[in-house]
Amino acid sequence: MSTLLHPTRRANRTTTPSSVVSAVAWHALLKTADREAVRDDLAPGTAHAIDLAVSGTVDGEEFDQHIVGQLSVGHDSQRASSANPPLDKLIGYILSQLNESHRNAILRLPALYAEQGCELPEVSPSIAAETDAFLKKFRAAKTSKVRGSVSFKRCAIDSDSREPALSIVG
């Protein structure tokens, strides 16, 4: 439901419905913001008071909107995660350690998998357990930098006076 952009009302309105005007205007603003906004220009841990006026026409229908609120940028942080090495590199290294006949036998495994209805051949429980332990030894913790989130808390506006009707942030 689009309620922020309110087309100016005309007595002889016969073209674009206000809901369409609002949807088109929001999408135009969204697409423009996607191209124009530079996230690197927002400093972490900041807050900005916003008081914007947006006006124009959509299919000849006028609209205007007053937007008041606060834009907040969270602090950057570190995210911990765990990861295994890339599967192609791990299997590639294992294959490189085998002689040609063993390597070719393993490289035929995708065809065997397809022939068996996408099921792998059974292996003994001890081999499965050894493989599981082997893969767990590769699991390593790593951290990555994460940017703080950007949020916008809008204040409700009294459409007649263009003043904030409430100062609710949240």
Side-chain angles (χ1 to χ4, degrees):
M1 182 169 137
S2 204
T3 59
L4 286 180
L5 295 177
H6 301 287
T8 304
R9 301 287 180 217
R10 293 190 330 211
N12 61 351
R13 182 177 203 37
T14 59
T15 57
T16 309
S18 63
S19 62
V20 173
V21 169
S22 190
V24 169
W26 276 119
H27 280 85
L29 289 168
L30 178 66
K31 293 299 183 178
T32 301
D34 281 346
R35 283 191 310 271
E36 299 295 327
V38 179
R39 174 62 174 88
D40 290 341
D41 290 346
L42 297 176
T46 59
H48 306 276
I50 305 298
D51 187 344
L52 299 173
V54 179
S55 63
T57 62
V58 172
D59 298 332
E61 301 294 321
E62 294 181 10
F63 71 86
D64 71 306
Q65 176 62 47
H66 187 201
I67 303 167
V68 175
Q70 183 170 8
L71 183 92
S72 299
V73 183
H75 291 281
D76 293 347
S77 61
Q78 296 285 327
R79 179 178 294 148
S81 62
S82 61
N84 281 332
L87 195 55
D88 61 333
K89 291 186 179 193
L90 177 61
I91 293 174
Y93 179 78
I94 292 168
L95 289 172
S96 74
Q97 300 302 302
L98 302 174
N99 66 39
E100 188 175 353
S101 64
H102 285 113
R103 187 170 39 253
N104 289 336
I106 290 172
L107 291 172
R108 285 192 295 271
L109 186 58
L112 180 61
Y113 178 75
E115 288 170 12
Q116 294 187 356
C118 298
E119 293 287 332
L120 288 172
E122 290 293 323
V123 296
S124 72
S126 63
I127 294 290
E130 284 182 54
T131 304
D132 185 50
F134 171 77
L135 291 173
K136 284 180 180 175
K137 289 177 184 175
F138 280 102
R139 201 113 184 113
K142 69 177 195 176
T143 59
S144 55
K145 188 175 180 178
V146 179
R147 288 183 165 179
S149 62
V150 178
S151 63
F152 180 67
K153 311 274 189 213
R154 189 177 69 90
C155 296
I157 304 295
D158 179 341
S159 60
D160 294 330
S161 69
R162 293 208 165 292
E163 294 296 323
L166 330 159
S167 309
I168 297 174
V169 177

